[in-house]
């Protein structure tokens, strides 16, 4: 078998796997990520998988990877529920949007900026530190203080 035929076969199976994962309920982005992970694992193998067993191996890796991703997401959601969403003082569901806007206006422009970068634009701490030219520790501390100030302002309303 020539290398071009082998590559075409891998691409074909990869597309099949993506369709299968989407049909099983995963988002298109997750299906693409898992398909890419299958290729990475294939490249990292020390052994060569025979052509007739390659398709089954790829499906098996894709299914296991999707299960692992699902378990990680469940664990992450559980941790969020336990650590952050159970706090009585920080429940935005009970806060009116106008109250939140007024509370945000009571913050400094720097505090508003870092809160918007973190929660609206979903930047990572590392990215925020690079953009603002500050240390990660300073960003974390300032975010904590800004959240505390925002909580206090919301309590006063």
């Amino acid at each position: 078998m020539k290398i071009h035929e082998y590559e075409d076969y891998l691409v074909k199976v990869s597309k099949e796997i993506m369709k299968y994962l989407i049909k099983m309920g995963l988002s298109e982005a997750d299906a693409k990520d898992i398909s890419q992970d299958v290729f990475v694992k294939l490249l990292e193998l020390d052994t060569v998988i025979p052509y007739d067993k390659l398709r089954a191996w790829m499906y098996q890796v894709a299914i296991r990877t999707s299960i692992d991703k699902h378990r990680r997401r469940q664990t992450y959601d559980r941790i969020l529920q336990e650590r952050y969403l159970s706090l009585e003082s920080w429940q935005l569901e009970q806060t009116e949007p106008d109250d939140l806007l007024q509370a945000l206006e009571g913050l400094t422009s720097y505090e508003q900026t870092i809160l918007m970068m973190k929660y609206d634009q979903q930047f990572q701490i590392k990215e925020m530190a690079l953009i603002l030219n500050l240390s990660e520790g300073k960003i974390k501390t300032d975010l904590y203080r800004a959240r505390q100030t925002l909580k206090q302002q919301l309590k006063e309303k």
Side-chain angles (χ1 to χ4, degrees):
M1 172 177 273
K2 295 184 179 184
I3 191 74
H4 296 300
E5 293 173 357
Y6 187 75
E7 289 173 352
D8 291 341
Y9 180 72
L10 288 176
V11 170
K12 178 185 165 211
V13 173
S14 176
K15 288 180 182 178
E16 284 179 24
I17 289 172
M18 284 178 23
K19 288 179 184 176
Y20 173 77
L21 292 172
I22 291 171
K23 193 183 292 186
M24 296 306 294
L26 271 71
S27 68
E28 186 176 346
D30 285 342
K32 285 181 181 179
D33 287 344
I34 291 171
S35 179
Q36 183 178 1
D37 290 344
V38 170
F39 272 109
V40 169
K41 288 180 183 179
L42 182 63
L43 291 172
E44 291 176 343
L45 279 178
D46 291 334
T47 61
V48 177
I49 299 174
Y51 179 77
D52 59 332
K53 296 182 180 184
L54 185 61
R55 185 172 182 265
W57 181 88
M58 289 176 73
Y59 266 92
Q60 186 178 23
V61 170
I63 291 169
R64 286 182 180 168
T65 304
S66 67
I67 290 170
D68 289 345
K69 187 173 223 151
H70 178 71
R71 285 182 184 152
R72 258 184 268 126
R73 190 171 288 145
Q74 281 183 328
T75 303
Y76 179 74
D77 289 345
R78 182 182 50 78
I79 290 170
L80 280 178
Q81 286 287 338
E82 290 173 0
R83 301 268 323 238
Y84 298 108
L85 298 179
S86 64
L87 297 175
E88 295 173 12
S89 61
W90 186 248
Q91 292 181 355
L92 292 179
E93 295 92 24
Q94 297 174 354
T95 305
E96 293 295 321
D98 293 335
D99 292 342
L100 182 59
L101 286 174
Q102 288 175 356
L104 279 170
E105 288 173 359
L107 300 175
T108 66
S109 63
Y110 171 70
E111 291 172 327
Q112 290 175 7
T113 301
I114 62 173
L115 286 173
M116 294 303 265
M117 286 176 78
K118 178 69 177 162
Y119 298 106
D120 186 43
Q121 298 169 354
Q122 297 181 346
F123 281 108
Q124 299 293 322
I125 300 291
K126 196 176 283 188
E127 295 170 328
M128 292 171 62
L130 285 172
I131 292 169
L132 298 172
N133 199 22
L134 298 169
S135 71
E136 291 180 35
K138 173 135 177 69
I139 297 291
K140 289 178 184 178
T141 302
D142 292 346
L143 272 171
Y144 175 79
R145 290 178 180 159
R147 284 191 300 262
Q148 295 302 319
T149 305
L150 185 61
K151 271 196 258 186
Q152 188 62 34
Q153 298 216 4
L154 286 172
K155 278 184 184 178
E156 292 172 3
K157 304 254 179 230

